[in-house]
Amino acid sequence: MTVAARKPRLLIVGPLPPPIGGVETFTQAILESPEFAAFEVAHCDTTKRRAKSTQGRFDPLNFLWAFVHLARLRRDARRFHPDVIYLPVSGTWSGVLRDLALAALARRTGALVIGHQHAGDIGRVLARGGLLGRVVRAGFAQFDSMLVLGEPWRQLFERWGLACSIAVCPSTFRREVFERAASFTRAPRREPPARMLYVGQVGRRKGVHDLLRATRQLLGERHAVELTVVGPAQLEGELEAARQLATELGLDGAVRFTGELNGDALYEQFRAHDLFALPSYNEGIPAVLYEAGAFELPVVTTPVGAITELVHDGENGLLVPPGDVQALTASLRRLVTDPDLRSRLGTQLKRDVETFHPDRVSAKIVTAVRELLARRGGA
C-alpha cells in the first residue's frame, strides 16, 4: 500500500508529565489536538519519571533511560512504520546527545525526521569546540526539517549552516488550562496585600533569588506584598538554598514555598494571586507564561529566549533585564501599587495568549509535515 492510498503516518516522540516541564506540556498538548486528524498518529514515550533537577546529568540512570528511549523508538518504528517522525531536541549537553542518537535511529527507519528545538540554551551546545562539537553539528544535519521556538534560534541555526528547512513553531500549553481559564474573569483587587506568584523550577537560573531580594526591597518600602513560590528544585539543593535566602532576608512571614502543584491546586494559585513574576536568565518560551496569561495575570519577566514574541513591554506585561534586581523591584512596584495597570496588562495578555492555543501551534507542525511529504512526493 502506498502512502497516497492511506493516511500518512506520524510518530510523535516526547515525554509526558509527570514531572511537569515545557517539553512534557508541549507533547501532551499536541497529542490532544484534533489538527492531526488527517494523519495516523502514534506516540513514542520518552518520559523518565525523574525529578527535573536530574536533567542534564551524566549519571548512570540517565544513561540507562537513554538506552530505554532508543529501544522504545526502535520498537515503535518497527510496529508503526511511520512516514514522518517528530522529535523534540533538548538543550542540555547530555540531552542533545541522546536526542541526536534518537534522530540517527529515526533516519535508519526510512522516515522523514522533523526536529523541534525546545530549550533556550541550545546555542552553547552548538558552539562547543573540538571533535564533540563537530559530532553535534553533524548530528543536527540528520534532520530533514527543523522547527524552532522563535526567530533568534532560526537565525542561530542558519549561522551554524543547518542545511534543512527551518521554521518557527512556538511552544504552547495544555488544553485543560485554556478550558479552565476560558470562563475566568479577574476583577481588580484593590485591598492589600498584593499577592505575587512564581511558578516554575526553583533555582538561580530562573531568577528566584532576585525575586526574593526584590520582595525584601518592597517590604522595606512598606508595600504590603506576599509572594508564593510554586515548584520543585531546578538543581539539587536549590529549593533549600532559596528557602535559606528567604530566612536570611527576613521573609519567612511574607514568602510561602508550596513545592510542586498540579491540576486544580495550581489553577487556584493563578486565580488567587494578583501578578506573576518570572525573572529568568535563560528560557525558550516558558509554558507557564501562557498559563498565567490565560488566567489574566499580568506578568513581570525578562526578554530572554523567545519571551518577547509573547510579552510586549507596557502592552501585556513588563520586561526587565535579567539579574537587575532594581529594575525588577521597580516593575513589581508599578503593579503592586496600580490595580488598574494590572487589569489592563492581564486582560491584553489573555487575548494574546490565544495565538498560542495548542491547535494553532499543532497546525504549524502539520504544515511542516505536509511540506516534507510533498517534497518526497507522498502528499
Side-chain angles (χ1 to χ4, degrees):
M1 183 179 292
T2 65
V3 174
R6 57 166 169 80
K7 287 184 177 181
R9 291 176 179 166
L10 171 64
L11 179 59
I12 295 176
V13 180
L16 292 171
I20 296 291
V23 183
E24 290 85 356
T25 296
F26 189 95
T27 305
Q28 181 178 351
I30 63 175
L31 286 172
E32 294 172 347
S33 176
E35 290 295 317
F36 295 97
F39 300 92
E40 190 175 344
V41 176
H43 174 228
C44 176
D45 190 1
T46 56
T47 306
K48 291 193 292 188
R49 308 296 181 193
R50 297 190 74 191
K52 298 295 284 185
S53 59
T54 66
Q55 285 188 343
R57 289 183 184 173
F58 280 98
D59 66 22
L61 196 51
N62 274 344
F63 275 111
L64 176 61
W65 273 113
F67 284 111
V68 169
H69 295 159
L70 285 162
R72 286 180 181 174
L73 179 57
R74 182 181 294 108
R75 177 201 64 196
D76 292 344
R78 285 176 176 173
R79 291 176 178 175
F80 187 58
H81 302 290
D83 301 301
V84 180
I85 296 177
Y86 165 91
L87 178 68
V89 181
S90 62
T92 64
W93 179 237
S94 64
V96 167
L97 290 178
R98 181 213 50 186
D99 294 337
L100 294 182
L102 288 169
L105 177 59
R107 284 198 67 85
R108 290 183 63 184
T109 70
L112 297 162
V113 185
I114 297 179
H116 196 168
Q117 164 259 335
H118 272 277
D121 50 1
I122 190 69
R124 288 185 292 181
V125 177
L126 286 168
R128 192 178 182 103
L131 176 61
L132 284 177
R134 292 193 295 274
V135 168
V136 166
R137 290 185 286 277
F140 275 101
Q142 301 174 105
F143 292 103
D144 297 290
S145 178
M146 177 63 68
L147 301 175
V148 295
L149 293 181
E151 184 62 25
W153 292 286
R154 188 186 67 77
Q155 296 176 9
L156 173 71
F157 278 108
E158 286 182 347
R159 285 198 301 272
W160 282 106
L162 191 65
C164 68
S165 63
I166 306 171
V168 172
C169 179
S171 62
T172 186
F173 57 107
R174 291 167 293 154
R175 181 179 302 275
E176 178 183 282
V177 177
F178 187 85
E179 292 172 348
R180 293 293 186 90
S183 61
F184 177 75
T185 301
R186 182 175 300 279
R189 199 177 65 85
R190 300 181 182 278
E191 64 274 13
R195 299 168 182 164
M196 306 186 297
L197 177 65
Y198 169 91
V199 177
Q201 297 175 57
V202 179
R204 291 174 177 82
R205 186 175 71 85
K206 292 285 189 175
V208 173
H209 287 212
D210 297 338
L211 182 56
L212 292 172
R213 292 188 173 94
T215 302
R216 175 68 268 172
Q217 289 196 33
L218 291 172
L219 289 169
E221 297 169 3
R222 300 190 180 280
H223 295 292
V225 296
E226 295 177 351
L227 172 64
T228 301
V229 177
V230 177
Q234 182 168 34
L235 299 173
E236 187 173 351
E238 287 205 294
L239 179 56
E240 291 76 10
R243 290 180 185 271
Q244 179 61 34
L245 179 60
T247 297
E248 293 172 0
L249 293 173
L251 298 175
D252 287 341
V255 176
R256 181 170 65 103
F257 292 86
T258 70
E260 186 172 359
L261 298 176
N262 297 304
D264 289 333
L266 177 59
Y267 305 147
E268 184 53 37
Q269 298 300 318
F270 287 126
R271 295 186 188 100
H273 286 77
D274 302 308
L275 61 101
F276 185 87
L278 181 70
S280 186
Y281 286 68
N282 186 291
E283 292 288 350
I285 177 167
V288 70
L289 291 179
Y290 302 133
E291 295 173 352
F295 283 93
E296 289 187 39
L297 272 178
V299 303
V300 178
T301 187
T302 51
V304 298
I307 285 179
T308 53
E309 298 194 16
L310 170 65
V311 180
H312 307 290
D313 190 43
E315 297 178 15
N316 60 7
L318 299 178
L319 295 171
V320 299
D324 191 334
V325 175
Q326 295 304 318
L328 176 60
T329 303
S331 289
L332 292 173
R333 186 189 302 115
R334 287 181 64 188
L335 294 183
V336 163
T337 58
D338 192 341
D340 293 328
L341 177 61
R342 296 201 301 260
S343 180
R344 177 174 67 81
L345 296 180
T347 299
Q348 184 59 49
L349 185 58
K350 183 169 186 173
R351 295 192 190 105
D352 294 341
V353 158
E354 293 180 2
T355 303
F356 300 88
H357 186 280
D359 292 344
R360 295 191 180 189
V361 172
S362 295
K364 293 181 181 293
I365 299 176
V366 168
T367 296
V369 172
R370 290 190 184 281
E371 288 176 352
L372 273 185
L373 290 172
R375 291 207 298 269
R376 176 177 275 189

